[in-house]
Amino acid sequence: MKILSYRYDGLIKFGPKVKKEEAVWDVLAIQETLQVVPSFPETIVEGIANGMDFVEQMRKLTDAALKSEEPGQFKHAFSTIEWLSPIPRTPKNIIAVGRNYEDHAKEMGLQSAPENLMVFTKSPTTIAADKETLSVHANVTSSYDYEGELAVVISKKGDNIPKKLAYDHVFGYTIANDLTARDLQSKHQQFFLGKSLKGSCPMGPYLVTKDEVPEPQSLSIVTKVNGEVRQNGHTKDMIFTIEDLIAEISSLVTLEPGDVILTGTPSGVGKGFNPPKFLATGDTVKVAVEGIGTLVNRFE
Ligand code: MG
């Protein structure tokens, strides 16, 4: 199931994409009108805490809508909604993994792949949407850079999650652009400031449930800037796999429903070029992850 979050008539809503239509189901309206299930979550984060039961509930709701007298009243055309990040607000900082692809570690100046996991976080205020126009923050940085990434969305809460149970805690996947002010990243000891400028974590367009992505370590990641291919990577090249990341991070930090883990970026970031190719006003960045979709943002 491809789920999106959106604003309609001033309200934050979520729902599955309508199959073969450029539209989204309004599951909250279906439940309110048709009372299909005994209770239904009011936010997407509440829902994904229920794992695949949430997906099953949404199937029941959309089936009921299709059988109703006027299914059209429960759909909104994409042209009438404002897209939001699939997770509009994470319960804690976004967890991001640095240098998780060897070629990227090398272009950033490392001699070899890191032995230990490198984790930093991004403020939830970085979260932005697919199709949103974002700032290049020219007043504070002259080296704003893109990083196309597969993002893992956590479902079930957990500590000390063993690798073999890691996917039980995954709800699904989306696409992220881990935008980074390179000058601020190196100026401060921690990455937090350089990684947390407003709008520096657009995500979307969809949250794709894990049943539709059976092999998340087998997906191509392509980032284009103004149509030019900059990153052409593959999730099979992650140094630490999704299972490694969930096991090691949860051995130290409680993972909660709605947490997002950015799994690292392949080579081809702007800083990796000589001279560097940082973002400028007017640029459009597209990050495509196989089977998940394409995240598009224009910068000004
Ligand atoms: Mg990154």
Side-chain angles (χ1 to χ4, degrees):
M1 182 178 283
K2 284 185 161 69
I3 303 164
L4 58 137
S5 290
Y6 60 99
R7 192 177 277 116
Y8 183 83
D9 224 4
L11 299 171
I12 293 178
K13 293 172 173 271
F14 58 87
K17 179 185 179 298
V18 180
K19 280 184 187 144
K20 294 177 188 162
E21 286 181 38
E22 296 295 291
V24 60
W25 287 110
D26 189 337
V27 282
L28 295 169
I30 299 170
Q31 172 67 3
E32 194 179 307
T33 309
L34 304 177
Q35 294 289 310
V36 182
V37 291
S39 70
F40 189 68
E42 286 179 10
T43 69
I44 189 165
V45 170
E46 266 176 66
I48 68 176
N50 298 329
M52 295 310 276
D53 289 349
F54 177 48
V55 177
E56 199 42 51
Q57 277 194 320
M58 287 200 285
R59 279 208 184 98
K60 282 186 184 160
L61 290 168
T62 56
D63 285 350
L66 281 167
K67 287 174 192 152
S68 70
E69 282 181 13
E70 215 187 313
Q73 67 177 310
F74 302 119
K75 299 178 198 174
H76 304 303
F78 285 166
S79 58
T80 66
I81 63 167
E82 179 192 341
W83 288 71
L84 300 174
S85 163
I87 307 293
R89 180 90 186 187
T90 48
K92 61 167 89 60
N93 280 359
I94 295 155
I95 300 165
V97 180
R99 299 167 187 169
N100 200 24
Y101 289 78
E102 190 169 354
D103 288 350
H104 172 62
K106 287 183 177 162
E107 77 178 344
M108 297 301 277
L110 267 74
Q111 295 302 310
S112 58
E115 277 178 42
N116 296 308
L117 201 58
M118 178 194 187
V119 176
F120 59 90
T121 70
K122 293 172 79 78
S123 162
T125 53
T126 61
I127 295 173
D130 176 49
K131 295 179 255 298
E132 190 172 337
T133 298
L134 303 172
S135 173
V136 291
H137 298 285
N139 56 329
V140 292
T141 179
S142 55
S143 52
Y144 207 44
D145 206 351
Y146 52 85
E147 296 188 355
E149 309 199 10
L150 173 69
V152 176
V153 178
I154 297 297
S155 173
K156 207 166 59 171
K157 187 173 183 171
D159 291 286
N160 296 310
I161 301 165
K163 270 189 210 177
K164 64 177 190 298
L165 297 181
Y167 284 111
D168 289 358
H169 293 262
V170 172
F171 182 80
Y173 306 90
T174 188
I175 304 167
N177 188 348
D178 172 18
L179 291 153
T180 306
R182 296 295 180 204
D183 41 9
L184 300 177
Q185 184 185 20
S186 54
K187 177 179 172 186
H188 300 280
Q189 284 282 317
Q190 289 207 352
F191 287 2
F192 182 65
L193 295 176
K195 292 276 192 178
S196 291
L197 295 180
K198 188 176 182 188
S200 65
C201 195
M203 290 190 276
Y206 301 109
L207 169 53
V208 182
T209 51
K210 63 181 175 184
D211 55 311
E212 292 196 10
V213 190
E215 294 185 68
Q217 300 287 173
S218 182
L219 309 174
S220 67
I221 302 183
V222 176
T223 305
K224 291 181 184 175
V225 179
N226 304 328
E228 179 193 0
V229 176
R230 298 279 184 86
Q231 299 187 283
N232 193 356
H234 200 282
T235 57
K236 72 174 167 31
D237 296 323
M238 282 184 201
I239 298 164
F240 299 96
T241 65
I242 293 164
E243 288 168 313
D244 294 334
L245 299 178
I246 289 173
E248 188 156 354
I249 293 168
S250 73
S251 74
L252 301 166
V253 181
T254 304
L255 289 177
E256 300 171 279
D259 274 339
V260 172
I261 301 175
L262 308 187
T263 56
T265 199
S267 63
V269 300
K271 187 184 159 95
F273 291 89
N274 187 13
K277 295 183 176 185
F278 296 126
L279 294 174
T281 299
D283 284 350
T284 296
V285 180
K286 292 186 182 181
V287 183
V289 178
E290 193 178 354
I292 316 270
T294 304
L295 171 71
V296 184
N297 295 99
R298 209 181 76 81
F299 290 82
E300 63 177 23

PDB file of all heavy atoms in Angstrom, residues 267-290:
ATOM      1  N   SER A 267      27.620   7.546  -3.398  1.00  0.00           N
ATOM      2  CA  SER A 267      28.532   8.589  -3.870  1.00  0.00           C
ATOM      3  C   SER A 267      27.838   9.485  -4.898  1.00  0.00           C
ATOM      4  O   SER A 267      26.786   9.138  -5.438  1.00  0.00           O
ATOM      5  CB  SER A 267      29.779   7.953  -4.493  1.00  0.00           C
ATOM      6  OG  SER A 267      29.402   7.203  -5.614  1.00  0.00           O
ATOM      7  N   GLY A 268      28.444  10.641  -5.126  1.00  0.00           N
ATOM      8  CA  GLY A 268      27.910  11.565  -6.122  1.00  0.00           C
ATOM      9  C   GLY A 268      27.297  12.810  -5.524  1.00  0.00           C
ATOM     10  O   GLY A 268      26.598  13.558  -6.222  1.00  0.00           O
ATOM     11  N   VAL A 269      27.546  13.063  -4.214  1.00  0.00           N
ATOM     12  CA  VAL A 269      27.050  14.316  -3.623  1.00  0.00           C
ATOM     13  C   VAL A 269      27.852  15.473  -4.218  1.00  0.00           C
ATOM     14  O   VAL A 269      28.936  15.276  -4.782  1.00  0.00           O
ATOM     15  CB  VAL A 269      27.157  14.308  -2.073  1.00  0.00           C
ATOM     16  CG1 VAL A 269      26.346  13.163  -1.495  1.00  0.00           C
ATOM     17  CG2 VAL A 269      28.602  14.260  -1.597  1.00  0.00           C
ATOM     18  N   GLY A 270      27.323  16.687  -4.068  1.00  0.00           N
ATOM     19  CA  GLY A 270      27.965  17.869  -4.663  1.00  0.00           C
ATOM     20  C   GLY A 270      29.402  18.054  -4.208  1.00  0.00           C
ATOM     21  O   GLY A 270      30.277  18.442  -4.991  1.00  0.00           O
ATOM     22  N   LYS A 271      29.665  17.761  -2.930  1.00  0.00           N
ATOM     23  CA  LYS A 271      31.005  17.940  -2.375  1.00  0.00           C
ATOM     24  C   LYS A 271      32.015  16.979  -3.020  1.00  0.00           C
ATOM     25  O   LYS A 271      33.221  17.244  -3.010  1.00  0.00           O
ATOM     26  CB  LYS A 271      30.959  17.704  -0.854  1.00  0.00           C
ATOM     27  CG  LYS A 271      32.263  18.014  -0.117  1.00  0.00           C
ATOM     28  CD  LYS A 271      32.144  17.667   1.365  1.00  0.00           C
ATOM     29  CE  LYS A 271      33.492  17.466   2.013  1.00  0.00           C
ATOM     30  NZ  LYS A 271      34.019  18.622   2.677  1.00  0.00           N
ATOM     31  N   GLY A 272      31.518  15.890  -3.588  1.00  0.00           N
ATOM     32  CA  GLY A 272      32.409  14.886  -4.171  1.00  0.00           C
ATOM     33  C   GLY A 272      32.992  15.293  -5.524  1.00  0.00           C
ATOM     34  O   GLY A 272      33.904  14.657  -6.033  1.00  0.00           O
ATOM     35  N   PHE A 273      32.451  16.362  -6.127  1.00  0.00           N
ATOM     36  CA  PHE A 273      32.941  16.811  -7.436  1.00  0.00           C
ATOM     37  C   PHE A 273      34.051  17.847  -7.283  1.00  0.00           C
ATOM     38  O   PHE A 273      34.136  18.541  -6.269  1.00  0.00           O
ATOM     39  CB  PHE A 273      31.791  17.417  -8.260  1.00  0.00           C
ATOM     40  CG  PHE A 273      30.770  16.404  -8.708  1.00  0.00           C
ATOM     41  CD1 PHE A 273      29.672  16.093  -7.914  1.00  0.00           C
ATOM     42  CD2 PHE A 273      30.909  15.752  -9.934  1.00  0.00           C
ATOM     43  CE1 PHE A 273      28.734  15.149  -8.319  1.00  0.00           C
ATOM     44  CE2 PHE A 273      29.965  14.812 -10.349  1.00  0.00           C
ATOM     45  CZ  PHE A 273      28.883  14.510  -9.536  1.00  0.00           C
ATOM     46  N   ASN A 274      34.887  17.960  -8.277  1.00  0.00           N
ATOM     47  CA  ASN A 274      35.953  18.964  -8.286  1.00  0.00           C
ATOM     48  C   ASN A 274      35.851  19.783  -9.572  1.00  0.00           C
ATOM     49  O   ASN A 274      36.161  19.269 -10.648  1.00  0.00           O
ATOM     50  CB  ASN A 274      37.319  18.282  -8.192  1.00  0.00           C
ATOM     51  CG  ASN A 274      38.435  19.311  -8.025  1.00  0.00           C
ATOM     52  OD1 ASN A 274      38.178  20.483  -7.742  1.00  0.00           O
ATOM     53  ND2 ASN A 274      39.675  18.874  -8.238  1.00  0.00           N
ATOM     54  N   PRO A 275      35.413  21.046  -9.517  1.00  0.00           N
ATOM     55  CA  PRO A 275      34.958  21.734  -8.303  1.00  0.00           C
ATOM     56  C   PRO A 275      33.615  21.208  -7.802  1.00  0.00           C
ATOM     57  O   PRO A 275      32.878  20.586  -8.592  1.00  0.00           O
ATOM     58  CB  PRO A 275      34.831  23.190  -8.773  1.00  0.00           C
ATOM     59  CG  PRO A 275      34.539  23.093 -10.228  1.00  0.00           C
ATOM     60  CD  PRO A 275      35.279  21.886 -10.725  1.00  0.00           C
ATOM     61  N   PRO A 276      33.289  21.464  -6.527  1.00  0.00           N
ATOM     62  CA  PRO A 276      32.029  20.958  -5.964  1.00  0.00           C
ATOM     63  C   PRO A 276      30.811  21.501  -6.715  1.00  0.00           C
ATOM     64  O   PRO A 276      30.872  22.579  -7.309  1.00  0.00           O
ATOM     65  CB  PRO A 276      32.038  21.491  -4.525  1.00  0.00           C
ATOM     66  CG  PRO A 276      33.445  21.849  -4.239  1.00  0.00           C
ATOM     67  CD  PRO A 276      34.059  22.253  -5.549  1.00  0.00           C
ATOM     68  N   LYS A 277      29.728  20.724  -6.682  1.00  0.00           N
ATOM     69  CA  LYS A 277      28.480  21.140  -7.334  1.00  0.00           C
ATOM     70  C   LYS A 277      27.397  21.289  -6.273  1.00  0.00           C
ATOM     71  O   LYS A 277      26.581  20.392  -6.095  1.00  0.00           O
ATOM     72  CB  LYS A 277      28.063  20.098  -8.367  1.00  0.00           C
ATOM     73  CG  LYS A 277      29.037  19.943  -9.544  1.00  0.00           C
ATOM     74  CD  LYS A 277      28.507  18.936 -10.545  1.00  0.00           C
ATOM     75  CE  LYS A 277      29.393  18.830 -11.772  1.00  0.00           C
ATOM     76  NZ  LYS A 277      28.832  17.936 -12.798  1.00  0.00           N
ATOM     77  N   PHE A 278      27.436  22.415  -5.565  1.00  0.00           N
ATOM     78  CA  PHE A 278      26.433  22.638  -4.524  1.00  0.00           C
ATOM     79  C   PHE A 278      25.151  23.193  -5.130  1.00  0.00           C
ATOM     80  O   PHE A 278      25.136  23.627  -6.287  1.00  0.00           O
ATOM     81  CB  PHE A 278      26.995  23.568  -3.446  1.00  0.00           C
ATOM     82  CG  PHE A 278      28.164  22.978  -2.699  1.00  0.00           C
ATOM     83  CD1 PHE A 278      29.373  23.653  -2.589  1.00  0.00           C
ATOM     84  CD2 PHE A 278      28.054  21.713  -2.112  1.00  0.00           C
ATOM     85  CE1 PHE A 278      30.447  23.092  -1.910  1.00  0.00           C
ATOM     86  CE2 PHE A 278      29.126  21.147  -1.431  1.00  0.00           C
ATOM     87  CZ  PHE A 278      30.324  21.841  -1.338  1.00  0.00           C
ATOM     88  N   LEU A 279      24.080  23.181  -4.317  1.00  0.00           N
ATOM     89  CA  LEU A 279      22.784  23.615  -4.830  1.00  0.00           C
ATOM     90  C   LEU A 279      22.700  25.139  -4.935  1.00  0.00           C
ATOM     91  O   LEU A 279      23.305  25.859  -4.143  1.00  0.00           O
ATOM     92  CB  LEU A 279      21.662  23.098  -3.921  1.00  0.00           C
ATOM     93  CG  LEU A 279      21.511  21.571  -3.901  1.00  0.00           C
ATOM     94  CD1 LEU A 279      20.484  21.138  -2.863  1.00  0.00           C
ATOM     95  CD2 LEU A 279      21.118  21.056  -5.289  1.00  0.00           C
ATOM     96  N   ALA A 280      21.950  25.577  -5.929  1.00  0.00           N
ATOM     97  CA  ALA A 280      21.768  27.020  -6.153  1.00  0.00           C
ATOM     98  C   ALA A 280      20.285  27.291  -6.397  1.00  0.00           C
ATOM     99  O   ALA A 280      19.506  26.383  -6.713  1.00  0.00           O
ATOM    100  CB  ALA A 280      22.580  27.460  -7.367  1.00  0.00           C
ATOM    101  N   THR A 281      19.913  28.551  -6.241  1.00  0.00           N
ATOM    102  CA  THR A 281      18.540  28.976  -6.507  1.00  0.00           C
ATOM    103  C   THR A 281      18.130  28.544  -7.910  1.00  0.00           C
ATOM    104  O   THR A 281      18.899  28.718  -8.856  1.00  0.00           O
ATOM    105  CB  THR A 281      18.447  30.506  -6.379  1.00  0.00           C
ATOM    106  OG1 THR A 281      18.805  30.839  -5.047  1.00  0.00           O
ATOM    107  CG2 THR A 281      17.051  31.013  -6.661  1.00  0.00           C
ATOM    108  N   GLY A 282      16.941  27.966  -8.011  1.00  0.00           N
ATOM    109  CA  GLY A 282      16.436  27.533  -9.315  1.00  0.00           C
ATOM    110  C   GLY A 282      16.670  26.063  -9.607  1.00  0.00           C
ATOM    111  O   GLY A 282      16.105  25.522 -10.560  1.00  0.00           O
ATOM    112  N   ASP A 283      17.510  25.395  -8.798  1.00  0.00           N
ATOM    113  CA  ASP A 283      17.777  23.967  -9.025  1.00  0.00           C
ATOM    114  C   ASP A 283      16.560  23.114  -8.665  1.00  0.00           C
ATOM    115  O   ASP A 283      15.806  23.439  -7.745  1.00  0.00           O
ATOM    116  CB  ASP A 283      18.956  23.486  -8.160  1.00  0.00           C
ATOM    117  CG  ASP A 283      20.305  23.931  -8.710  1.00  0.00           C
ATOM    118  OD1 ASP A 283      20.341  24.431  -9.842  1.00  0.00           O
ATOM    119  OD2 ASP A 283      21.322  23.748  -7.999  1.00  0.00           O
ATOM    120  N   THR A 284      16.429  22.002  -9.375  1.00  0.00           N
ATOM    121  CA  THR A 284      15.427  20.995  -9.022  1.00  0.00           C
ATOM    122  C   THR A 284      16.151  19.683  -8.763  1.00  0.00           C
ATOM    123  O   THR A 284      16.965  19.246  -9.576  1.00  0.00           O
ATOM    124  CB  THR A 284      14.405  20.800 -10.162  1.00  0.00           C
ATOM    125  OG1 THR A 284      13.694  22.031 -10.336  1.00  0.00           O
ATOM    126  CG2 THR A 284      13.407  19.700  -9.843  1.00  0.00           C
ATOM    127  N   VAL A 285      15.869  19.074  -7.612  1.00  0.00           N
ATOM    128  CA  VAL A 285      16.502  17.797  -7.252  1.00  0.00           C
ATOM    129  C   VAL A 285      15.433  16.708  -7.241  1.00  0.00           C
ATOM    130  O   VAL A 285      14.376  16.872  -6.624  1.00  0.00           O
ATOM    131  CB  VAL A 285      17.191  17.874  -5.869  1.00  0.00           C
ATOM    132  CG1 VAL A 285      17.851  16.529  -5.529  1.00  0.00           C
ATOM    133  CG2 VAL A 285      18.218  19.000  -5.842  1.00  0.00           C
ATOM    134  N   LYS A 286      15.749  15.604  -7.939  1.00  0.00           N
ATOM    135  CA  LYS A 286      14.839  14.455  -7.950  1.00  0.00           C
ATOM    136  C   LYS A 286      15.586  13.253  -7.407  1.00  0.00           C
ATOM    137  O   LYS A 286      16.654  12.903  -7.921  1.00  0.00           O
ATOM    138  CB  LYS A 286      14.390  14.130  -9.383  1.00  0.00           C
ATOM    139  CG  LYS A 286      13.511  15.187  -9.995  1.00  0.00           C
ATOM    140  CD  LYS A 286      12.985  14.749 -11.360  1.00  0.00           C
ATOM    141  CE  LYS A 286      12.136  15.872 -11.957  1.00  0.00           C
ATOM    142  NZ  LYS A 286      11.582  15.535 -13.260  1.00  0.00           N
ATOM    143  N   VAL A 287      15.038  12.632  -6.376  1.00  0.00           N
ATOM    144  CA  VAL A 287      15.627  11.407  -5.831  1.00  0.00           C
ATOM    145  C   VAL A 287      14.647  10.270  -6.112  1.00  0.00           C
ATOM    146  O   VAL A 287      13.504  10.309  -5.646  1.00  0.00           O
ATOM    147  CB  VAL A 287      15.872  11.502  -4.308  1.00  0.00           C
ATOM    148  CG1 VAL A 287      16.557  10.231  -3.812  1.00  0.00           C
ATOM    149  CG2 VAL A 287      16.687  12.744  -3.951  1.00  0.00           C
ATOM    150  N   ALA A 288      15.095   9.274  -6.891  1.00  0.00           N
ATOM    151  CA  ALA A 288      14.226   8.149  -7.230  1.00  0.00           C
ATOM    152  C   ALA A 288      14.768   6.889  -6.573  1.00  0.00           C
ATOM    153  O   ALA A 288      15.945   6.559  -6.716  1.00  0.00           O
ATOM    154  CB  ALA A 288      14.163   7.973  -8.742  1.00  0.00           C
ATOM    155  N   VAL A 289      13.919   6.194  -5.824  1.00  0.00           N
ATOM    156  CA  VAL A 289      14.295   4.891  -5.273  1.00  0.00           C
ATOM    157  C   VAL A 289      13.347   3.865  -5.885  1.00  0.00           C
ATOM    158  O   VAL A 289      12.118   4.032  -5.847  1.00  0.00           O
ATOM    159  CB  VAL A 289      14.229   4.860  -3.728  1.00  0.00           C
ATOM    160  CG1 VAL A 289      14.577   3.466  -3.210  1.00  0.00           C
ATOM    161  CG2 VAL A 289      15.182   5.894  -3.126  1.00  0.00           C
ATOM    162  N   GLU A 290      13.957   2.841  -6.457  1.00  0.00           N
ATOM    163  CA  GLU A 290      13.213   1.795  -7.172  1.00  0.00           C
ATOM    164  C   GLU A 290      12.049   1.247  -6.321  1.00  0.00           C
ATOM    165  O   GLU A 290      12.254   0.868  -5.167  1.00  0.00           O
ATOM    166  CB  GLU A 290      14.226   0.668  -7.452  1.00  0.00           C
ATOM    167  CG  GLU A 290      13.785  -0.369  -8.420  1.00  0.00           C
ATOM    168  CD  GLU A 290      14.902  -1.396  -8.648  1.00  0.00           C
ATOM    169  OE1 GLU A 290      16.027  -1.221  -8.133  1.00  0.00           O
ATOM    170  OE2 GLU A 290      14.618  -2.375  -9.350  1.00  0.00           O
TER     171      GLU A 290
END
